[in-house]
Amino acid sequence: MNLRENRSGESLYFYLTGELDEHSVATVREKADRLIDENAGLSRAIFNLAGVKFMDSTGIGFLMGRYKKLKKYGMEMYLENPNANADKILALSGVYSLVPKI
């Protein structure tokens, strides 16, 4: 799993590529949390999932953990471009009721 970021205006973009599972989430979690802390005060974070080839419940946990962290800073979170499999998992798990897909 790779994570790259970009800041544009009031938005912090996260671009995830690879497999978001228990074997890869630890390093991505640390980097995402550091970037959120460094960019506290922005209004939103957008997680682009176009490059995520596989996601399991660990991936959902990763996203929900970042959602909670962002809420503490008063930042909104959005999900962007999930592939069909990730979209199905996110919809069935109810993630979209908290984190909108744009």
Side-chain angles (χ1 to χ4, degrees):
M1 173 57 57
N2 292 312
L3 168 69
R4 48 178 196 93
E5 80 286 343
N6 182 40
R7 182 176 170 174
S8 178
E10 286 295 310
S11 299
L12 178 60
Y13 289 86
F14 293 94
Y15 297 91
L16 298 165
T17 55
E19 296 183 358
L20 191 53
D21 58 20
E22 67 178 305
H23 301 291
S24 64
V25 78
T27 54
V28 175
R29 181 185 303 118
E30 291 175 20
K31 184 174 182 181
D33 285 349
R34 180 179 45 80
L35 290 165
I36 291 168
D37 290 338
E38 291 172 357
N39 290 280
L42 294 180
S43 53
R44 72 193 65 81
I46 300 165
F47 286 75
N48 183 295
L49 305 176
V52 175
K53 296 177 182 8
F54 174 81
M55 180 172 56
D56 62 11
S57 61
T58 308
I60 293 170
F62 165 77
L63 293 171
M64 290 295 82
R66 306 310 54 82
Y67 169 79
K68 290 177 184 177
K69 184 171 187 69
L70 289 161
K71 280 295 181 193
K72 289 180 183 177
Y73 286 121
M75 297 171 69
E76 296 293 324
M77 179 175 166
Y78 299 94
L79 300 176
E80 179 177 64
N81 296 328
N83 68 28
N85 291 332
D87 188 50
K88 182 177 179 180
I89 290 169
L90 293 166
L92 289 172
S93 67
V95 169
Y96 291 140
S97 65
L98 295 173
V99 183
K101 178 173 66 169
I102 57 172

